[in-house]
Amino acid sequence: MEIIFLGTGTSQGIPVIGSTHPVCLSTNSKDKRLRVSVMVKWEDYNILIDCGPDFRTQMLNHNIDHLDAILYTHEHNDHTAGLDDIRPYFFRQGDIPIYAHKRVLISLKKRFEYIFQTENKYPGAPSVAVNEITNSNFTFKDLTITPIDTMHNRLQVFGFKIEEFAYLTDVKTIEKEEIEKLKGVKVLVINALRKESHHSHFNLEDALEFINKVNPERAYLTHISHLMGFHDEVQAELPENVFLAYDNLKIKIKM
């Protein structure tokens, strides 16, 4: 299994438009972050987690020629706004399978009504194969996928455990029984917005505490804002098995 970090930034991305913050002015490519998303590559399958506004650029950056499924964590714009750009895949492959909580599907149908229409559908619009998920295991091909139920302030958000890999973003609180589902993962990806506390995201201290509870072999921090600081400086402060993820990072996990 290979994981590609397509984007590791927060909702505004880095650099933030018009910002003169030093991180936004950095010339280090690791300080430039598209909106958060990962591609899980397994056998010949490409499974996308979240499809944000930078989706088209991300697909072109990595020459992704097919897309087998999209898993949605929640309905916020930085995780969903790229749905229309699945059109090239749809034209070649047909309906693209999507997996999401019922609430998220309702939101997508409101925002992208033309994609979900079954009558008088515009011929240039893409279509999706809808799969409603709950907090129970489901399968994609031969993979078992375990949703991880978390809270983003007052909004429910799903993380996903896929074999020995787990991906959680926009987490602020998580119940003990959900943490137990993560025990034994080799690689954990978890959000860490900044060093200061935040009302709806883990900060760096929260994320490191959570990593200690799960105890993976390796952990990667994502959904990072410019307020976290310069990539190289933050990385130098982290424990040996914890890494500040960056756009276009690729990692492999033995299964």
Side-chain angles (χ1 to χ4, degrees):
M1 179 181 288
E2 182 180 50
I3 309 300
I4 304 174
F5 288 85
L6 302 171
T8 56
T10 186
S11 57
Q12 298 182 86
I14 305 174
V16 176
I17 294 172
S19 175
T20 58
H21 188 282
V23 174
C24 292
L25 301 178
S26 172
T27 58
N28 184 348
S29 63
K30 293 180 180 179
D31 287 322
K32 300 182 186 303
R33 303 180 185 277
L34 298 176
R35 267 63 72 91
V36 68
S37 178
V38 294
M39 184 72 77
V40 179
K41 298 178 73 69
W42 168 74
E43 294 184 351
D44 293 327
Y45 300 112
N46 291 328
I47 305 169
L48 179 71
I49 303 182
D50 286 336
C51 183
D54 298 317
F55 170 74
R56 179 179 179 276
T57 296
Q58 292 163 342
M59 296 301 96
L60 291 171
N61 284 348
H62 295 278
N63 194 28
I64 302 295
D65 62 1
H66 69 281
L67 181 63
D68 297 290
I70 304 173
L71 311 182
Y72 282 105
T73 59
H74 64 298
E75 62 267 43
H76 282 170
N77 189 69
D78 53 324
H79 299 261
T80 60
L83 180 57
D84 182 79
D85 283 329
I86 66 170
R87 281 182 291 164
Y89 298 115
F90 165 72
F91 294 149
R92 291 194 298 268
Q93 301 172 213
D95 295 5
I96 305 299
I98 65 171
Y99 295 79
H101 188 286
K102 180 179 181 180
R103 185 198 71 247
V104 177
L105 292 172
I106 291 171
S107 175
L108 291 174
K109 289 175 182 178
K110 288 180 179 178
R111 296 183 61 192
F112 299 97
E113 180 183 6
Y114 62 95
I115 291 177
F116 293 86
Q117 281 180 333
T118 56
E119 297 182 4
N120 299 317
K121 187 179 178 72
Y122 177 68
S127 294
V128 294
V130 174
N131 298 274
E132 181 183 325
I133 60 174
T134 62
N135 192 18
S136 299
N137 290 0
F138 62 97
T139 59
F140 175 80
K141 307 302 181 181
D142 294 330
L143 282 178
T144 297
I145 301 175
T146 301
I148 308 297
D149 206 34
T150 74
M151 294 298 293
H152 178 35
N153 195 357
R154 294 189 294 270
L155 181 69
Q156 181 273 345
V157 172
F158 274 141
F160 297 103
K161 177 185 174 185
I162 305 175
E163 302 296 328
E164 295 175 308
F165 167 72
Y167 181 86
L168 291 87
T169 185
D170 291 47
V171 176
K172 180 59 179 179
T173 56
I174 179 170
E175 297 295 329
K176 183 177 179 180
E177 58 268 26
E178 298 299 310
I179 298 175
E180 287 298 315
K181 294 180 184 178
L182 296 167
K183 294 298 176 66
V185 298
K186 289 183 177 179
V187 174
L188 171 68
V189 179
I190 184 68
N191 63 292
L193 186 70
R194 61 192 192 189
K195 293 180 179 178
E196 297 80 10
S197 62
H198 190 270
H199 69 279
S200 62
H201 289 273
F202 276 172
N203 67 356
L204 180 58
E205 182 180 358
D206 296 332
L208 293 176
E209 181 180 341
F210 182 73
I211 291 165
N212 285 335
K213 289 180 181 178
V214 176
N215 194 29
E217 291 181 5
R218 290 177 285 159
Y220 294 83
L221 306 178
T222 194
H223 207 291
I224 297 158
S225 85
H226 60 292
L227 299 176
M228 177 69 83
F230 292 105
H231 179 279
D232 292 349
E233 293 179 3
V234 176
Q235 181 60 61
E237 301 171 354
L238 295 177
E240 186 177 2
N241 69 328
V242 179
F243 305 91
L244 201 63
Y246 53 88
D247 289 16
N248 307 316
L249 172 65
K250 298 179 181 180
I251 61 173
K252 292 189 176 182
I253 305 168
K254 292 183 179 180
M255 296 176 62

